[in-house]
Amino acid sequence: MTTAEHPGTGTVHRVAVGQPTAHATLGAALHAAAAGDEIRIAPGTYEEALRIDRDVVLRADGGTVTLVAPDTAPALEVLPGARLTLGGVTVRGGAADQPAVLLSGGATHWHGGGTECGRLEVLRDAALTMTGARLTGAALAGALIRTTGAVRLTDCVLEGAQGTGVVVGGDSRLEMTGSRIRGATGSGVRVRENARVVLRDCLIDGAGRSGLLFEDGSAALLVDCRVRDCGGEAVRVLDSSPVPRDDDPYEAGDSAAPAEARGGLLLYGCELTGAGADALHVAGSGDAVLAGCVLRDGGGSGATAGERARVRLADTRIVRTASAALTAHGTARLEARGTTVRDSAANGLLATGSAAVRITDGEVTDCRFSAVHAGGTAEVTLTRLRAGRTPEHGLHAVADSRLTLSEVHLTDCGMSGLDLSGAAGAEAAELSVTRCRNGVVAGSGGPVRLAGCTVTDAERAGFSFGPGGEAELDGGRVLRAGTAGLVVQDGATVRARDVEITEAAGSGMVVAAGAAPHASGVRVVRPGKNGLIVDAKGAGVFEDCEITGPGYPAVHLGEAATPVLTRIRVQDADADLSTGDGAEPEVRDCVSWQVKDAHWPAPMAPVPATAAATAAPGGTPATGSTDGDTTTTAPPTEEDLDELLGELHQLIGLDRVKQDVASLVKLMRMVQRREAAGLAAPPLSRHLVFAGNPGTGKTTVARLYGRILAAVGLLERGHLVEADRSALVGEYVGHTGPKTQRVFMEAMGGVLFIDEAYSLAPAHSSGGNDFAQEAIATLVKLMEDHRDAVVVIVAGYPTEMEHFIDSNPGLASRFNRTLLFEDYDTEDLVRIVEQHAAAHQYELTDAARATLAGYFDHVPRDGRFGNGRSARQTFQAMTERQAYRVAENDAPSEADLRTLSQLDVPELDVPETDPAGPGGPVRPA
């Protein structure tokens, strides 16, 4: 008996070789089957070709069933109108480059099994649902889909295709879920013409060319997919249809993926890793959007937009690229929001041609070339971007490119923070440049407009403007420039308004020969040299400017210089003006205050507000400085000792220091009582060594120590004068002694605090023309002459301070007590952050505290770690991250504005590796 009734489904036919009750061949069973019948096949190999023209079920009856084509024709063909269900059947074609299975119509449901030789073809109006199948051994393509019917592959594996893994064309609609495409020698998936594909939780691994290739008017949606280790690009788009605005997460601000692919290329939560070329390459009229994706370890760029393409990235990370992380050329448009770029072997962003680039709320760090490079006529707009840690420029614009910058922060660049050349132009608001070789260098012929920009700790000049361009500097600040604050070269047209230049090691403003800038409202504070220097034959208009505490004459004019000086105010200087031969300045209403050699008259009473704000009774500065890099802080008068000790004990950490200071106070009180009783006082040295790493509270304790001594009655005023090597050591013979004496006299009645004092006697120094030894000798003598009037505290790293004290016998005899400032532990650092938060009306959640503790537990305690300073910087970073996060809320509550959560704790800056492996990235829980 070869058939049996199967209740509710039709007749069951059995196929088994050598069994008289079963059909010997599949063909015989199929011939006998009516529409709706089921054929159950015994395990084995069947060499025959089947053409399905009716509704039928073919199911393996336990074990493996293999259907083998007797020649190069398909082993299995489904004709139009038929409905085939396959279960556990593997089909082997006659040739790898021919179809093993041809679906030319009808509907096929395939569970298990698969193909072993030859490709799967789905054509015309055929529909296919395939689950848990394995497709191997094909040439040219593993699967060819060109149908108007729906094709769905779930939990399938396509492996080892000698060509493309899957080709989708025509008007096909393909959906793949949980499937794997491995080892195709060509592209993993190729989508062309008007085809639409949706891939969810899929892996494309080891493709010889592109992982995914898109052409013509195709479209695709990829969700939680991985494309890795491809020979070419992970994703290559030669052309595509446009992304509908309703589906565009970048335009609509919607993080939810749509249900289908209606246009363009959409990637959500995908990883593109290990590509031999670009991770994403979009050309032609391609349109692509990536949201929440990771692109890393590629042999080319992270994302490239070329020709007429449009690419948008949202909340995407691009890590370790062999070329520029982001590239735009041609007339392409590239936009990125909340995107992080790290460890590029070239630029972070490279924009050329006529490309338009917009980056918002991003970060670009650790690039070997400039973080951002713009050329051609490219237009680059950067908003709230953080960039740095590069041996080259932070931002570099050449040719005719244009930069528009808002709230951009650049740090630790080996060259300039912002560098413009050629005819490049820039417009910047609230740009900050920190610890770069130069701040802003504009040597271009393009327009430059800078508003509210800040340059801090530049190795060389703060702002430098070269010939050929027009520059406007409106507001802003230069702090501690290594040379000049503002440099104007010959041929530059510069207007500077309301700029503050503080503690430049060189001159405040430098005007080269032939230059003629216009400066108004510029304030220069404590420059190491001149406040303003105009070179020979220089000119310009300078009005309503102020120069305070210069190291050299406030204004120096070179030979034949002809500037116009109007309402210039000079304060606390040795001289207000020095001139070379033939200099003919036009001077109008300029005044000098507390200037030894004054050419200009003193201001009429009342004293100008700037002078009154920086002068204490008797003409002694109360804040600010009189020379070099010194800062004077006056304490409140008539302070209570117990309150001061309470203020000391409220400081976070520093238990050993608190105990040492309390012991000193007790000793001083005992000395006072002995003197009051007419007894001889024991020898007491009040001078101290503060040894500790940066950010451990040395300056804060020094300020309190002075106030305590004043409250005890051992100092007259108790104010603090901060100084460093540059405030004490001169530049020529005979300059150091008076300079050191002037700083010491400023501290009379208070505390002289010398930070990084070991720089006066550096280890392994060969001496030479270093005048630091003269400063030490002068200091030792002054300490002896005024032993009861000034307390000197020297501070620095513990080991270096030991060498410093040992370098001079006079120092060793006067500094016999050292207070050790230990590094803050994790609990202290968290409390410091909480203290800053409370002071600025923020509140930390319990989860934020726990995450913050984990963060500080894993922060490298290397030379870049700054203890309390690092805690303050962490708090600032948390407020920035919170601001970016809350900005997404159109109507935040007061609690939203005040709360710092664990999401606001910054991630540790460590190299990314396999999270399961040793040395992987640490993200505190």
Side-chain angles (χ1 to χ4, degrees):
M1 188 176 195
T2 60
T3 63
E5 292 299 324
H6 193 272
T9 61
T11 302
V12 175
H13 304 265
R14 299 186 182 277
V15 177
V17 178
Q19 293 185 16
T21 59
H23 295 288
T25 67
L26 291 170
L30 187 61
H31 180 75
D37 285 355
E38 177 179 345
I39 298 173
R40 294 186 179 178
I41 311 165
T45 299
Y46 299 85
E47 187 174 342
E48 50 187 307
L50 301 182
R51 301 181 80 235
I52 309 299
D53 59 1
R54 72 200 76 173
D55 294 356
V56 68
V57 176
L58 299 179
R59 180 172 289 121
D61 194 8
T64 301
V65 172
T66 303
L67 179 63
V68 180
D71 52 31
T72 59
L76 176 65
E77 182 177 358
V78 178
L79 301 178
R83 185 178 184 88
L84 171 65
T85 299
L86 285 172
V89 177
T90 298
V91 179
R92 185 186 303 161
D97 60 353
Q98 298 296 319
V101 176
L102 175 61
L103 309 181
S104 57
T108 300
H109 299 269
W110 196 337
H111 306 277
T115 62
E116 289 186 347
C117 180
R119 63 181 170 269
L120 166 67
E121 289 193 3
V122 187
L123 307 177
R124 298 176 186 171
D125 63 349
L128 170 65
T129 300
M130 178 177 275
T131 304
R134 187 179 187 88
L135 309 179
T136 63
L140 301 182
L144 172 62
I145 300 171
R146 189 181 180 87
T147 179
T148 58
V151 179
R152 294 183 176 86
L153 306 181
T154 303
D155 297 330
C156 294
V157 175
L158 288 82
E159 195 166 36
Q162 298 300 303
T164 305
V166 179
V167 178
V168 189
D171 294 316
S172 299
R173 300 294 185 266
L174 167 66
E175 183 172 339
M176 297 179 65
T177 303
S179 296
R180 311 290 182 260
I181 300 174
R182 296 193 179 103
T185 60
S187 298
V189 177
R190 182 180 182 185
V191 187
R192 53 185 307 185
E193 298 169 318
N194 194 39
R196 302 289 187 264
V197 299
V198 176
L199 278 66
R200 301 180 188 276
D201 189 27
C202 290
L203 168 67
I204 300 174
D205 187 9
R209 295 185 180 178
S210 301
L212 294 104
L213 173 62
F214 298 91
E215 302 172 88
D216 307 320
S218 59
L221 168 64
L222 278 70
V223 180
D224 297 331
C225 293
R226 292 169 293 156
V227 183
R228 67 188 187 195
D229 299 335
C230 300
E233 301 87 352
V235 177
R236 184 180 185 187
V237 183
L238 298 180
D239 272 307
S240 76
S241 57
V243 174
R245 184 177 182 88
D246 291 345
D247 288 349
D248 190 339
Y250 198 93
E251 296 287 350
D254 187 359
S255 60
E260 57 181 336
R262 296 196 299 166
L265 175 64
L266 300 177
L267 279 73
Y268 287 81
C270 296
E271 293 186 8
L272 312 180
T273 62
D278 296 347
L280 172 69
H281 185 100
V282 185
S285 57
D287 192 355
V289 182
L290 279 68
C293 295
V294 176
L295 287 60
R296 59 181 172 87
D297 298 316
S301 294
T304 292
E307 300 175 355
R308 304 173 306 283
R310 187 178 182 213
V311 175
R312 277 92 70 217
L313 310 173
D315 302 319
T316 291
R317 290 193 301 139
I318 304 175
V319 183
R320 292 189 297 274
T321 56
S323 298
L326 296 170
T327 302
H329 58 83
T331 59
R333 293 176 60 192
L334 173 65
E335 299 174 69
R337 182 182 64 235
T339 292
T340 299
V341 170
R342 186 178 298 168
D343 291 328
S344 167
N347 301 108
L349 166 66
L350 174 63
T352 58
S354 300
V357 178
R358 182 182 298 273
I359 300 179
T360 306
D361 297 326
E363 181 176 333
V364 180
T365 58
D366 299 302
C367 302
R368 294 187 187 176
F369 298 169
S370 298
V372 174
H373 179 93
T377 58
E379 296 186 359
V380 177
T381 301
L382 307 174
T383 304
R384 294 185 297 278
L385 174 73
R386 298 182 297 277
R389 294 203 302 268
T390 168
E392 296 193 356
H393 305 293
L395 311 178
H396 190 205
V398 302
D400 294 292
S401 59
R402 292 290 183 269
L403 301 179
T404 302
L405 314 174
S406 178
E407 298 181 53
V408 173
H409 302 277
L410 308 173
T411 58
D412 299 305
C413 302
M415 295 183 180
S416 302
L418 170 61
D419 188 273
L420 308 172
S421 60
E427 184 168 339
E430 305 301 326
L431 169 70
S432 73
V433 181
T434 304
R435 295 187 304 276
C436 298
R437 181 173 175 82
N438 298 290
V440 175
V441 176
S444 65
V448 179
R449 292 177 177 83
L450 308 175
C453 299
T454 301
V455 177
T456 305
D457 294 326
E459 183 180 335
R460 302 186 71 179
F463 294 98
S464 180
F465 298 101
E470 294 186 1
E472 292 186 12
L473 187 58
D474 191 357
R477 187 181 183 196
V478 180
L479 178 62
R480 295 187 297 274
T483 57
L486 170 63
V487 177
V488 182
Q489 300 177 19
D490 184 14
T493 302
V494 176
R495 296 183 67 89
R497 294 183 295 271
D498 301 326
V499 178
E500 181 173 318
I501 301 170
T502 303
E503 297 180 358
S507 297
M509 292 183 283
V510 176
V511 179
H518 188 289
S520 60
V522 176
R523 184 168 184 255
V524 181
V525 180
R526 296 187 297 279
K529 296 183 179 179
N530 306 106
L532 166 65
I533 180 169
V534 181
D535 283 347
K537 300 183 180 180
V541 175
F542 304 88
E543 56 188 6
D544 297 313
C545 297
E546 178 182 342
I547 301 171
T548 302
Y552 293 0
V555 178
H556 176 76
L557 308 179
E559 182 179 343
T562 58
V564 177
L565 307 175
T566 303
R567 295 182 299 279
I568 307 297
R569 297 183 296 278
V570 176
Q571 178 178 327
D572 297 331
D574 288 337
D576 51 16
L577 178 67
S578 64
T579 58
D581 294 340
E584 296 183 357
E586 186 176 336
V587 180
R588 303 170 182 169
D589 301 325
C590 296
V591 297
S592 296
W593 174 256
Q594 294 182 337
V595 175
K596 295 178 181 178
D597 183 8
H599 289 71
W600 300 332
M604 299 296 289
V607 176
T610 53
T614 57
T620 303
T623 61
S625 164
T626 59
D627 185 73
D629 290 336
T630 65
T631 302
T632 308
T633 304
T637 58
E638 299 181 2
E639 293 189 284
D640 181 77
L641 177 61
D642 291 335
E643 291 181 359
L644 291 174
L645 292 175
E647 186 175 341
L648 173 67
H649 284 283
Q650 286 179 0
L651 295 177
I652 293 172
L654 306 177
D655 292 339
R656 181 184 297 183
V657 171
K658 295 172 184 177
Q659 182 178 354
D660 289 344
V661 172
S663 298
L664 283 172
V665 170
K666 292 178 181 178
L667 180 60
M668 293 171 191
R669 281 178 153 176
M670 183 272 293
V671 169
Q672 284 184 313
R673 292 190 183 103
R674 286 182 61 87
E675 290 177 336
L679 300 174
L684 174 65
S685 175
R686 296 173 295 174
H687 309 302
L688 299 174
V689 177
F690 282 7
N693 290 323
T696 48
K698 297 186 291 295
T699 305
T700 300
V701 174
R703 189 175 292 113
L704 268 172
Y705 185 60
R707 294 162 62 191
I708 289 171
L709 292 182
V712 173
L714 294 178
L715 283 178
E716 181 182 353
R717 294 178 57 201
H719 65 292
L720 182 78
V721 175
E722 300 177 52
D724 58 14
R725 176 190 169 96
S726 65
L728 304 174
V729 180
E731 299 182 11
Y732 48 83
V733 175
H735 189 204
T736 296
K739 195 172 184 179
T740 302
Q741 185 173 14
R742 185 161 53 246
V743 174
F744 191 92
M745 292 304 174
E746 185 180 342
M748 195 66 67
V751 175
L752 174 58
F753 180 80
I754 305 175
D755 199 11
E756 296 181 353
Y758 53 81
S759 63
L760 296 173
H764 313 299
S765 173
S766 59
N769 294 325
D770 191 352
F771 302 111
Q773 289 300 321
E774 181 183 352
I776 292 176
T778 303
L779 189 63
V780 168
K781 185 177 186 304
L782 290 169
M783 291 170 67
E784 179 62 28
D785 294 343
H786 305 279
R787 66 172 67 92
D788 296 326
V790 175
V791 168
V792 178
I793 298 176
V794 290
Y797 294 104
T799 302
E800 285 82 348
M801 290 307 297
E802 289 182 10
H803 170 80
F804 169 69
I805 297 301
D806 293 340
S807 67
N808 186 296
L811 294 176
S813 64
R814 287 163 178 80
F815 292 99
N816 53 23
R817 185 182 296 270
T818 298
L819 271 61
L820 181 61
F821 287 70
E822 297 176 336
D823 289 345
Y824 292 115
D825 60 21
T826 293
E827 181 180 352
D828 291 336
L829 293 170
V830 173
R831 289 174 61 198
I832 292 172
V833 172
E834 289 184 300
Q835 190 178 68
H836 285 297
H840 293 83
Q841 295 182 302
Y842 286 94
E843 296 176 356
L844 273 69
T845 65
D846 291 340
R849 294 186 186 91
T851 303
L852 193 61
Y855 172 82
F856 284 128
D857 278 341
H858 293 91
V859 167
R861 303 296 176 99
D862 53 20
R864 296 172 59 183
F865 182 72
N867 282 286
R869 187 184 308 117
S870 293
R872 183 180 68 250
Q873 292 169 346
T874 300
F875 166 69
Q876 292 171 345
M878 290 177 68
T879 61
E880 291 178 8
R881 292 168 70 97
Q882 186 248 27
Y884 298 148
R885 176 172 57 80
V886 174
E888 300 294 328
N889 188 344
D890 292 334
S893 65
E894 181 179 347
D896 293 332
L897 298 172
R898 293 175 61 95
T899 301
L900 297 175
S901 75
Q902 70 269 30
L903 298 177
D904 303 320
V905 178
E907 297 180 5
L908 286 178
D909 186 16
V910 296
E912 294 199 9
T913 59
D914 183 355
V922 178
R923 173 67 179 177

